[in-house]
Amino acid sequence: QMEKNHLISFWEMYNRHLIHLINFIPEERLSRKCGMSDGSSRSVSWLFEDYVMHLDHHLYQIFEKTN
């Protein structure tokens, strides 16, 4: 089993790296559409926003269980 602090550090580093990469995407590309598995399409910016909401959901789960 992975040590909790190691996992949290990895998660933080991974998300900081994603932010770094996102900052290189030209603003006009953020409105480009991506095909989803259900046949719908979403913009690149929607994918980022959805990821953050998903991340918040998991953080809430983690801290709800530790309090």
Side-chain angles (χ1 to χ4, degrees), residues 14-35:
Y14 177 76
N15 283 289
R16 287 182 185 274
H17 182 66
L18 286 177
I19 291 168
H20 177 74
L21 294 175
I22 290 167
N23 284 323
F24 283 99
I25 299 173
E27 190 169 340
E28 64 273 8
R29 296 277 175 100
L30 295 175
S31 61
R32 289 187 81 172
K33 299 292 183 181
C34 301

